Amino acid sequence: MKKKVLSGHNFHREPFQVLDDLFDVTYPPTGHFKKDQILDIIEDYEVFIPNFSFYTDKEIIDKAKNLKLIANFGVGYNNIDVEYAAQKGIAVTNTPNSVLEPTAELCFGLIHAVARRIGFYNNKLRTPEGLSWGLYDNPGIAIFGKTLGIYGFGRIGQAVARRAIAAGMNIIYHNRKPVAKGIEEQYNARYVSFDELLSQSDFITINAPATPETYHIIDEKAIDKMKSNAILINTSRGSTVDEVALIKALKDNRIFGAGLDVFENEPRINPEFLTLDNVVLTPHTGTQTIEGRYDMQREVAENIINFYNGGEISKVN
């Protein structure tokens, strides 16, 4: 008898074909299962696939008497009570490989969009009043020759650095500890303290996971240490930025601008962001390419298959 897999989301079937061939997979008829629907049926399943926006909490884990694996669709796993799952002997996997390049692409795309004011120009040109075409009106900021400060120099941070080098930028970074010397040399990157990152960077990207240590790592005090023409980019998790402090800084032109793909209360976005011309907003689309989403599904499928076959999995607990 095939192992039973419960998919919380009505994923596209093509990249899950190998999963459908080997397992008995249940999908919602449309959209996604709601929590009460999952609670009603999860006891019958050994594997659960939650979308990164669905929180798998203690109540669900307690109800899932036969659960062996939570195969998360996403690299972050703050949507899962990982510690409690571990206590119950349930493995948790994620998809770190497939999210790498698309997230770095969007991160660097936001750097361009904010620095060169692409969103601002596009929006103003579509209005009846338009905008001035004067030689020095509404200028952007150059990227070439500037310093990019990367907070979180892991795989995604390094993928951003690779793009920054091609654009002629200088790289500094901050981690809990420096990376290997060979990695620093590869990107000509220099480890600095967090305060130095804030004060020396023309652009700052947040590429760190959501943890108690990273909660509101960018707050009013941090913003006060930034350059007056600094640009902040966040494609990691909304909890890393104090949105109230950032909105105030953007309103006061304390920094040049920001590019945000993640928010504290997703899918709700603080409406004050929508009134500002110096912020570019995207709806948590770091991996939202056709290729990226399909690759994530394939990585989920590989994790499930390898979990039962003894192969390599992206285990987080």
Side-chain angles (χ1 to χ4, degrees):
M1 185 178 293
K2 292 181 178 180
K3 305 289 186 185
K4 297 189 71 174
V5 177
L6 177 61
S7 175
H9 188 84
N10 188 28
F11 291 102
H12 287 187
R13 298 300 191 271
E14 180 186 339
F16 267 177
Q17 185 60 58
V18 65
L19 204 61
D20 291 327
D21 291 343
L22 298 173
F23 297 86
D24 179 5
V25 185
T26 299
Y27 299 93
T30 58
H32 59 273
F33 282 125
K34 294 181 179 179
K35 182 179 179 180
D36 59 345
Q37 294 173 309
I38 290 172
L39 287 170
D40 284 342
I41 61 176
I42 197 169
E43 189 171 353
D44 296 332
Y45 294 85
E46 286 197 11
V47 180
F48 177 48
I49 306 172
N51 191 353
F52 52 71
S53 61
F54 181 84
Y55 188 60
T56 307
D57 59 13
K58 290 182 180 180
E59 186 180 10
I60 291 174
I61 292 170
D62 280 337
K63 191 74 172 178
K65 302 296 184 183
N66 296 303
L67 201 63
K68 304 291 190 298
L69 172 66
I70 300 172
N72 198 38
F73 178 80
V75 64
Y77 42 89
N78 55 309
N79 62 310
I80 299 168
D81 193 330
V82 174
E83 184 177 340
Y84 193 65
Q87 291 176 19
K88 294 290 186 175
I90 301 168
V92 178
T93 57
N94 64 341
T95 59
N97 299 316
S98 49
V99 305
L100 177 62
E101 296 300 337
T103 303
E105 281 180 354
L106 181 68
C107 183
F108 207 70
L110 286 172
I111 288 175
H112 278 277
V114 180
R116 299 306 308 270
R117 307 197 72 181
I118 294 172
F120 169 78
Y121 295 147
N122 178 72
N123 292 341
K124 291 297 183 183
L125 286 172
R126 295 170 184 271
T127 63
E129 64 271 17
L131 79 167
S132 171
W133 289 50
L135 289 178
Y136 298 102
D137 292 339
N138 306 305
I141 287 179
I143 294 171
F144 183 83
K146 297 297 179 63
T147 296
L148 173 63
I150 300 175
Y151 179 77
F153 203 52
R155 297 168 74 248
I156 293 176
Q158 291 169 33
V160 174
R162 175 159 36 88
R163 290 161 170 79
I165 289 171
M169 302 184 81
N170 306 305
I171 310 298
I172 60 177
Y173 74 96
H174 181 75
N175 267 354
R176 282 176 291 182
K177 60 181 181 179
V179 299
K181 209 68 178 173
I183 295 176
E184 288 189 339
E185 292 173 354
Q186 181 180 353
Y187 300 103
N188 195 24
R190 180 168 56 91
Y191 177 82
V192 296
S193 70
F194 183 56
D195 282 352
E196 289 173 317
L197 185 92
L198 295 171
S199 63
Q200 295 179 18
S201 300
D202 300 298
F203 298 80
I204 297 173
T205 66
I206 309 299
N207 304 105
T211 66
E213 292 74 27
T214 63
Y215 178 76
H216 282 191
I217 192 70
I218 301 298
D219 57 10
E220 186 175 4
K221 290 181 179 179
I223 293 171
D224 284 344
K225 295 173 183 177
M226 295 181 190
K227 293 182 177 181
S228 60
N229 62 346
I231 289 174
L232 175 70
I233 306 294
N234 189 12
T235 55
S236 59
R237 286 295 183 268
S239 61
T240 59
V241 175
D242 180 343
E243 291 185 349
V244 173
L246 178 59
I247 287 169
K248 183 178 186 302
L250 292 170
K251 282 183 172 181
D252 296 343
N253 293 312
R254 170 62 189 79
I255 59 175
F256 185 83
L260 306 175
D261 185 49
V262 289
F263 306 89
E264 285 201 77
N265 299 300
E266 296 178 9
R268 180 183 176 274
I269 297 177
N270 189 314
E272 291 194 70
F273 279 130
L274 306 179
T275 68
L276 301 173
D277 285 331
N278 54 350
V279 60
V280 175
L281 310 171
T282 54
H284 205 147
T285 56
T287 58
Q288 198 160 323
T289 63
I290 293 173
E291 298 88 347
R293 292 300 198 218
Y294 276 27
D295 286 345
M296 289 172 69
Q297 283 188 241
R298 293 187 186 100
E299 192 167 1
V300 168
E302 288 172 7
N303 281 332
I304 294 171
I305 293 167
N306 289 342
F307 176 79
Y308 284 102
N309 293 342
E312 184 177 347
I313 58 176
S314 303
K315 197 167 182 286
V316 300
N317 70 339

